[in-house]
Amino acid sequence: MIRYDVADAVATITLDRPDAMNSLTAEVKTALLEALRRAAADPGVRAVLLTGSGRAFCAGQDLREHAANLEAGRALDDTVRRHYNPIIELITTMDQPVVAAVNGVAAGAGAALAFACDLRVAAEKAKFALAFGGIGLAPDSGASWTLQRLVGLGRATELLLLGEPVDARRALELGLVTRVVPADEVLKTAHELAVRLAQGPTRAFGATKRALAHAAGHSLPETLALEADLQDACVATDDHVRATASFLAKERPVFHGR
């Protein structure tokens, strides 16, 4: 249900339940978290590409499994804490940049999964639906955190309360996605972007992700203090030392992620 491939220092993680629009069962979420942990721990992986097979990116929670849990008295079966939260935390905190190739529908937790990624390339036919309210639920999978940072509080409130689908062009206008390309180019474009990131200073990218997340909820003095700490750590990396020497020699730096 999850495919994992590595090429050009990019780990491609594919949700592979096309007949179910790549909806998320407990088994799929467990496998997805394992794949993300594998990528995060591999020094040979310097960027991650997340996508879905078939006509959907991810339709969110598998409602058949959820309905069975409700009938059995298990409610959410603690899936938010056990599955969704660690998945989103890992995507947003791993050093490697994460690119989403949104090849089709991204709904509910599937949309939130895309929003947690650092960059999003969407197919022209892609659609986003914050469908939580439609089934009487509040947002999860970090949607209340990521969405308003992408589009602002007012737009986030509108998208979450009304639950109206957003097509790819509108998503680009709102800032939900980075690029929109024809459907047959989405994976190629996203992979090229991931390869470009994989050739960069991985530890500095990780520091940048941490700085942005921290700055969203802290004061300027607190942010300045963290930036100083992160710069101290980056200055000590091999990538920085070599890149500085390359700059002085008027050469293009080559980064190794160390």
Side-chain angles (χ1 to χ4, degrees):
M1 297 183 182
I2 296 289
R3 296 204 311 268
Y4 185 95
D5 305 284
V6 178
D8 302 317
V10 176
T12 299
I13 300 173
T14 306
L15 300 170
D16 196 18
R17 295 185 72 211
D19 294 340
M21 297 183 70
N22 303 316
S23 58
L24 301 167
T25 62
E27 183 180 3
V28 173
K29 286 174 280 192
T30 298
L32 175 58
L33 182 57
E34 289 175 353
L36 289 166
R37 285 173 172 163
R38 178 179 174 185
D42 186 348
V45 169
R46 295 174 56 199
V48 175
L49 174 60
L50 182 61
T51 192
S53 62
R55 61 193 178 94
F57 174 74
C58 176
Q61 174 64 38
D62 186 306
L63 291 183
R64 292 183 182 275
E65 182 183 77
H66 179 58
N69 286 337
L70 290 176
E71 187 174 347
R74 292 193 297 268
L76 289 173
D77 199 28
D78 206 31
T79 190
V80 173
R81 295 181 182 85
R82 288 193 298 121
H83 298 127
Y84 288 123
N85 287 358
I87 287 171
I88 300 303
E89 286 177 9
L90 186 51
I91 290 173
T92 55
T93 60
M94 66 169 63
D95 280 349
Q96 297 96 326
V98 183
V99 179
V102 185
N103 52 302
V105 174
L113 191 62
F115 298 153
C117 296
D118 299 300
L119 300 174
R120 286 155 297 284
V121 178
E124 291 175 336
K125 66 178 182 178
K127 288 186 178 181
F128 296 88
L130 280 302
F132 300 100
I135 54 172
L137 291 176
D140 61 30
S141 306
S144 63
W145 194 90
T146 55
L147 188 58
Q148 64 177 304
R149 283 161 174 77
L150 290 171
V151 302
L153 177 59
R155 289 294 189 192
T157 303
E158 177 185 350
L159 293 172
L160 287 167
L161 293 184
L162 297 182
E164 295 173 347
V166 179
D167 64 25
R169 288 299 171 187
R170 182 58 174 158
L172 184 62
E173 291 174 1
L174 291 173
L176 288 174
V177 299
T178 311
R179 299 178 185 176
V180 174
V181 298
D184 60 354
E185 296 179 16
V186 64
L187 193 58
K188 176 178 179 290
T189 302
H191 186 262
E192 289 173 349
L193 189 56
V195 169
R196 176 180 170 183
L197 292 167
Q199 294 171 348
T202 310
R203 292 179 63 184
F205 286 160
T208 300
K209 291 172 66 167
R210 286 190 288 278
L212 288 169
H214 182 274
H218 291 79
S219 67
L220 178 58
E222 290 171 313
T223 299
L224 292 172
L226 179 66
E227 286 181 347
D229 291 341
L230 292 172
Q231 286 294 53
D232 286 343
C234 287
V235 164
T237 63
D238 182 67
D239 275 345
H240 170 71
V241 173
R242 290 176 178 270
T244 301
S246 295
F247 178 83
L248 294 175
K250 301 186 185 305
E251 298 173 347
R252 184 175 179 177
V254 176
F255 298 104
H256 299 281
R258 302 189 296 270

